[in-house]
Amino acid sequence: MKKFIKGVFKKTIYKSDRGYIIGLFKVKDTNSEELKDYINKSLTFTGYFHELNEEEKYTFYGEGVEHPKYGFQFSVTEYEKSKPEDKEGLVEFLSSDLFPGIGEKIAESIVDVLGLDALNKILEDPAILNLVPKLTSKKMELIYNNLLKYNESSAIIIYLTELGFSMKDAMNIYNFYKKITKDIIESNIYSILDNIEEIAFTKVDEIALKEGINLDDKNRVKATIIYIMKNLIYSNGDTYLEYGDIIKNVELYLKTELNTSYFDDCLFELEKDNKIIKYNEHYYLSSIWKSEDYVANKIVKLSLMEPKNYPKLDNKLLNLEKELNIVYNDKQKEAIKKALTNSISIITGGPGTGKTTIIKAIVELYTELNKLSYENAMKEIALLAPTGRASKRMTESTNLQASTIHRFLKWNKETNKFAVDEFNPDKSKFIIIDEMSMLDISLLDSLFKGLTNNIQVVLVGDYNQLPSVGPGQVLKDLIESEVIDTVHLDLLYRQDENSYINTLAIEIKNNDLAETFMETKSDYTFLECSSSMIKESLKKICKQIIDKGYDYKKLQLMAPMYHGENGIDNLNKELQNIFNPSSNDKDELVVGDVIFRENDKILQLVNMPEENVFNGDIGIIKRIVYSNISKSKKNEIHVDFDGNIVKYTPKDFNKFKHGYIISIHKSQGSEFDIVVLPVCNNYRRMLYRKLIYTAVTRAKRKLIIIGEPQAFVYAVNNDNEYIRKTSLLDRINNILYNK
């Protein structure tokens, strides 16, 4: 038996943009013994709601739960508006905000004429309202239509929740399909996945199977194909898939062997519906196909534009060298000139080769050559990077405000769309994008669509680093296309002549590791230990670093894996006790099985452009505010991201984790004074050259490797990283050839 409470919705305490509500409910009746004591009292409730109106009567279905911080609450899984059962209730209902323009007098008249069964009578035959004196046809129509909507929305949302959808999902489905919701669900439940991104395929499939759908139903197979293609593309970074990979993985999911012709029919129908694209025996998700196609055409168009001519460029560059007391080498000068004259150019090189210095020179010269004031330079030049830390470095080196790409494009987290697009482009004329290796094909597509046609673009990055998390290997493909003027920087500048870090990076990149790699240098140490001793060795070296007075905020540990004894999750707990042990003068908060305390180092996991904090940013917990004293009446965690204070409430606590040790992937776009890197055979399946190269190149002043030399050598020699299936390079060549 479903537990329910009947009563009046009194007050909203909190409401999210997606309909999650915490509120107060005056209980009038219940069928639950544990809730009897709350009759005629207010009870806190939580759940997702399509709409709730204060002082209206509702029936909530769900369970009573004991929250560790907020006490007893009623967690709502389903709800419906309570239909009035007496004259007073009916009059109140008909004169409510649901029926604008219907006052108490008209409502009383309706009840007097039609009786206590007035609502059902109106729904059965709206013409019965003609019996009510002085009721206009306009008001009759309003009463019937709004009553119909009221019944319809409540009934449909209840229907969806009874199928197994959460209240949140049910609301999203109803808000999109309205009165045809039930027809859509019954005809092809999988079709909702085309329009509502938030709903998981696995949930829809679970409900469909429960409702008795055939295992090989065509709609199910087609939806599974799309699901599998998305999984493979986003897990491997491919932009297309082979036929064999698709059918093999679809059959594994369905746990059944499919007739080939039947499977081919499903693929063909998906092609007809423009959900997938088949080209040269390769299968693309339509969105990825369009992204690659747009980027390829944009690249070719930019590469064929006439270069700009600045007659005084050489003199200006010479003057800048004198002004900054810098002597640029020939390749650096070439990179600067090509960036300023070409519509698109690439500058690539490893750490310490002067990429940041060159960006500063490009900005300075562009401003001078175009006679721009600082204010106008800010309008014309856009400095972009995929991460907050990388954009901050650009700001510091150029004195111009840099931005993440998501912030530049004005990303809306609720709609997952960019406000800056082909219909509303940015007005910048000169764009520099740093850390290009991190950009996937979809993000570059969105960026190009948000730029004007007369744009100049400079792409800066190190193609030897890890490729993007999302599909594509954009920087690598663009360099190999050879259609964009590219300058490869190779001379080292960042560290002094006694530095070994960059030397090691070059050796790793070239797969030419010197036999002396274990020898201690001024900025480099290799501490040998077994896999079983990694944890203790890390704790020991971290204690030594602290004892020497180093700021732990400038130290970063990183590893290739999250799970296991030497995984990131386990090591973070150990390192917290070293860097930030519990004490009476530091507040802390338990979230699940994790303790967060003041002065903790944390890692942001998702983009929050509205707060100017992004995936991969590292901050420090400055304050924990408990619910009994916070303005929001909820526990709060305040995090300092380089001077930007972000306040998190419980709904956002899953958006960050401890950052004492982070993944190498998450370190991209960042640099740290000291890097400590464990390398052992436990990580063997994750060890390969680009991963180690990326980790090593994050260190600016000191690199400490702890672990097994044979594992490190294996990683350097292992070039067997997954080769991504992409077609950007081929598309560019095809466009040029066809022209």
Side-chain angles (χ1 to χ4, degrees):
M1 181 179 67
K2 291 186 199 175
K3 293 180 183 177
F4 68 77
I5 53 174
K6 292 184 179 181
V8 179
F9 168 51
K10 301 299 291 185
K11 182 182 177 183
T12 299
I13 298 171
Y14 167 80
K15 183 177 181 180
S16 76
D17 294 336
R18 293 184 178 269
Y20 180 77
I21 290 178
I22 302 172
L24 290 179
F25 190 80
K26 186 72 171 288
V27 181
K28 297 293 185 181
D29 190 20
T30 181
N31 65 345
S32 169
E33 285 299 322
E34 69 173 332
L35 296 167
K36 294 281 189 189
D37 292 340
Y38 286 93
I39 291 178
N40 294 322
K41 296 179 181 176
S42 289
L43 176 63
T44 302
F45 70 89
T46 64
Y48 286 90
F49 299 86
H50 172 55
E51 62 176 348
L52 285 181
N53 298 313
E54 291 184 4
E55 300 303 327
E56 283 197 13
K57 296 175 181 177
Y58 293 88
T59 301
F60 288 171
Y61 300 90
E63 289 284 342
V65 295
E66 189 68 41
H67 193 279
K69 293 292 181 184
Y70 304 124
F72 189 78
Q73 302 174 339
F74 192 77
S75 178
V76 182
T77 55
E78 304 171 26
Y79 78 103
E80 60 184 345
K81 290 181 181 177
S82 300
K83 289 185 177 177
E85 297 170 352
D86 55 20
K87 181 177 178 179
E88 183 184 351
L90 269 172
V91 171
E92 184 183 348
F93 177 74
L94 286 166
S95 59
S96 70
D97 292 341
L98 187 64
F99 305 96
I102 308 299
E104 283 190 24
K105 285 187 178 180
I106 296 176
E108 281 184 10
S109 182
I110 293 170
V111 178
D112 288 341
V113 172
L114 302 181
L116 296 180
D117 198 29
L119 300 183
N120 287 331
K121 288 177 178 176
I122 295 167
L123 286 169
E124 287 173 7
D125 181 15
I128 201 169
L129 286 167
N130 285 307
L131 299 174
V132 181
K134 299 181 181 179
L135 191 62
T136 65
S137 58
K138 193 172 180 180
K139 286 183 178 178
M140 290 182 199
E141 188 179 357
L142 181 144
I143 291 169
Y144 174 71
N145 288 338
N146 287 15
L147 188 59
L148 199 64
K149 287 177 186 175
Y150 163 81
N151 265 33
E152 176 191 275
S153 64
S154 298
I156 290 173
I157 287 173
I158 290 169
Y159 162 74
L160 291 169
T161 56
E162 286 178 344
L163 281 178
F165 289 107
S166 69
M167 183 64 74
K168 179 183 177 183
D169 286 345
M171 285 168 51
N172 284 332
I173 295 168
Y174 175 76
N175 286 335
F176 189 88
Y177 292 106
K178 301 294 184 184
K179 64 182 180 181
I180 64 169
T181 297
K182 198 169 181 181
D183 294 336
I184 294 293
I185 296 292
E186 290 175 350
S187 64
N188 177 14
I189 189 172
Y190 295 98
S191 65
I192 65 177
L193 296 166
D194 297 335
N195 299 308
I196 308 168
E197 292 181 3
E198 296 91 342
I199 296 180
F201 163 81
T202 50
K203 169 54 73 175
V204 174
D205 194 44
E206 176 193 321
I207 292 170
L209 289 170
K210 188 179 70 176
E211 292 297 300
I213 197 170
N214 291 332
L215 294 178
D216 62 349
D217 179 273
K218 184 167 277 190
N219 288 325
R220 183 177 187 235
V221 174
K222 289 195 294 184
T224 304
I225 290 171
I226 298 297
Y227 169 68
I228 292 298
M229 287 184 70
K230 284 181 179 177
N231 269 5
L232 291 175
I233 282 171
Y234 284 93
S235 61
N236 296 332
D238 298 324
T239 61
Y240 68 83
L241 298 169
E242 308 285 356
Y243 177 92
D245 291 330
I246 300 172
I247 190 169
K248 178 181 72 177
N249 284 280
V250 167
E251 288 179 337
L252 280 171
Y253 177 86
L254 296 175
K255 295 183 175 63
T256 186
E257 190 174 334
L258 295 170
N259 178 279
T260 303
S261 62
Y262 183 69
F263 182 78
D264 290 348
D265 283 345
C266 292
L267 280 177
F268 181 70
E269 288 183 19
L270 288 170
E271 286 181 66
K272 272 179 51 182
D273 293 338
N274 202 35
K275 291 180 180 179
I276 65 173
I277 305 289
K278 181 185 178 184
Y279 182 74
N280 285 345
E281 300 305 316
H282 297 158
Y283 292 84
Y284 301 76
L285 289 174
S286 183
S287 60
I288 303 296
W289 164 273
K290 290 174 182 175
S291 288
E292 266 199 346
D293 187 63
Y294 188 89
V295 169
N297 278 283
K298 187 73 173 181
I299 292 293
V300 171
K301 186 177 179 180
L302 287 170
S303 69
L304 295 176
M305 292 179 73
E306 285 293 319
K308 291 193 174 186
N309 181 30
Y310 291 112
K312 297 180 180 179
L313 179 53
D314 286 325
N315 289 336
K316 296 288 186 184
L317 181 53
L318 183 62
N319 291 337
L320 183 64
E321 286 181 303
K322 291 176 182 176
E323 184 183 328
L324 300 177
N325 196 25
I326 290 175
V327 178
Y328 297 110
N329 66 44
D330 289 343
K331 283 195 174 181
Q332 289 176 320
K333 288 178 181 177
E334 184 187 4
I336 294 167
K337 290 177 183 179
K338 285 183 174 179
L340 290 164
T341 56
N342 290 348
S343 291
I344 186 165
S345 61
I346 295 175
I347 302 169
T348 185
T353 53
K355 295 191 299 294
T356 303
T357 305
I358 288 172
I359 291 173
K360 179 177 175 61
I362 293 168
V363 170
E364 293 275 355
L365 286 169
Y366 181 89
T367 302
E368 188 175 351
L369 289 164
N370 291 280
K371 298 180 172 60
L372 300 176
S373 65
Y374 178 82
E375 290 75 19
N376 286 332
M378 289 289 292
K379 294 176 184 177
E380 282 201 18
I381 304 171
L383 305 178
L384 306 177
T387 68
R389 280 185 163 261
S391 67
K392 187 173 184 293
R393 286 207 315 272
M394 293 181 81
T395 298
E396 291 169 348
S397 66
T398 62
N399 295 320
L400 287 179
Q401 185 59 52
S403 165
T404 64
I405 295 170
H406 280 78
R407 190 172 181 84
F408 174 79
L409 295 175
K410 299 179 181 177
W411 179 63
N412 185 320
K413 69 174 181 177
E414 297 299 327
T415 62
N416 195 29
K417 296 186 185 300
F418 296 110
V420 175
D421 55 21
E422 61 263 56
F423 307 109
N424 181 38
D426 183 81
K427 300 297 190 292
S428 301
K429 295 180 179 180
F430 195 89
I431 302 279
I432 302 177
I433 309 164
D434 200 7
E435 299 291 348
M436 262 300 298
S437 62
M438 299 177 68
L439 261 71
D440 64 34
I441 192 68
S442 300
L443 186 55
L444 187 58
D445 171 40
S446 296
L447 177 58
F448 276 163
K449 284 175 179 171
L451 303 177
T452 57
N453 291 327
N454 63 339
I455 195 73
Q456 280 184 266
V457 181
V458 184
L459 310 176
V460 184
D462 182 359
Y463 71 92
N464 288 298
Q465 286 189 36
L466 294 168
S468 59
V469 174
Q473 46 186 13
V474 174
L475 183 61
K476 180 176 181 292
D477 285 348
L478 291 181
I479 290 172
E480 290 182 0
S481 75
E482 297 183 351
V483 301
I484 303 173
D485 270 340
T486 302
V487 179
H488 297 260
L489 305 174
D490 49 19
L491 293 179
L492 299 180
Y493 287 90
R494 190 168 71 189
Q495 278 122 341
D496 62 45
E497 60 185 16
N498 296 317
S499 171
Y500 181 70
I501 296 174
N502 283 334
T503 302
L504 178 64
I506 292 169
E507 290 176 0
I508 293 169
K509 180 180 72 174
N510 297 332
N511 190 18
D512 188 24
L513 191 63
E515 294 181 1
T516 57
F517 76 91
M518 291 187 63
E519 293 180 2
T520 299
K521 310 290 192 303
S522 61
D523 61 347
Y524 170 78
T525 303
F526 194 116
L527 299 175
E528 185 175 359
C529 74
S530 64
S531 293
S532 60
M533 292 300 296
I534 285 285
K535 184 167 62 177
E536 292 306 315
S537 297
L538 280 176
K539 289 162 65 176
K540 183 179 178 182
I541 193 68
C542 288
K543 285 177 181 175
Q544 290 175 354
I545 290 171
I546 292 172
D547 291 341
K548 288 180 180 179
Y550 285 106
D551 185 351
Y552 74 91
K553 298 168 190 173
K554 296 180 179 180
L555 161 71
Q556 188 58 61
L557 291 88
M558 52 187 71
M561 295 175 64
Y562 281 94
H563 306 299
E565 183 68 14
N566 294 328
I568 292 166
D569 293 337
N570 185 50
L571 291 176
N572 257 321
K573 292 178 182 178
E574 299 285 342
L575 294 168
Q576 183 191 31
N577 295 326
I578 293 172
F579 290 116
N580 191 32
S582 179
S583 71
N584 292 330
D585 62 347
K586 286 185 287 194
D587 289 327
E588 59 184 43
L589 190 67
V590 178
V591 180
D593 62 346
V594 177
I595 299 171
F596 290 108
R597 71 175 57 106
E598 290 175 344
N599 292 332
D600 265 345
K601 189 176 187 179
I602 66 104
L603 173 74
Q604 181 73 10
L605 301 175
V606 298
N607 291 322
M608 293 171 58
E610 69 281 5
E611 299 288 350
N612 198 28
V613 60
F614 298 88
N615 184 4
D617 285 353
I618 292 173
I620 303 294
I621 295 178
K622 299 303 288 184
R623 192 184 176 200
I624 288 174
V625 185
Y626 298 116
S627 58
N628 60 334
I629 58 172
S630 80
K631 290 182 180 179
S632 65
K633 305 300 180 187
K634 302 180 197 60
N635 292 324
E636 295 179 2
I637 297 177
H638 299 183
V639 182
D640 182 1
F641 293 95
D642 297 323
N644 176 31
I645 306 296
V646 180
K647 297 179 181 180
Y648 298 85
T649 54
K651 67 182 177 67
D652 296 317
F653 288 170
N654 63 341
K655 294 178 179 177
F656 59 84
K657 64 191 301 180
H658 282 127
Y660 296 105
I661 183 165
I662 64 175
S663 73
I664 296 170
H665 281 84
K666 289 288 188 184
S667 75
Q668 284 189 272
S670 300
E671 292 179 338
F672 310 95
D673 282 359
I674 305 172
V675 167
V676 180
L677 177 67
V679 180
C680 60
N681 287 316
N682 287 155
Y683 301 145
R684 196 172 181 89
R685 68 182 181 88
M686 291 292 294
L687 294 176
Y688 57 95
R689 189 181 305 144
K690 274 193 177 181
L691 190 81
I692 293 297
Y693 174 84
T694 299
V696 167
T697 56
R698 299 308 88 202
K700 290 199 294 184
R701 301 184 185 280
K702 184 79 174 178
L703 172 65
I704 302 170
I705 299 177
I706 299 176
E708 296 162 321
Q710 64 270 33
F712 185 75
V713 172
Y714 169 81
V716 174
N717 291 331
N718 182 21
D719 197 26
N720 294 327
E721 63 172 309
Y722 180 80
I723 306 300
R724 296 189 172 192
K725 301 184 184 79
T726 67
S727 50
L728 179 61
L729 175 59
D730 290 338
R731 286 180 193 241
I732 290 171
N733 288 331
N734 287 340
I735 295 167
L736 285 169
Y737 179 77
N738 291 334
K739 283 182 179 290

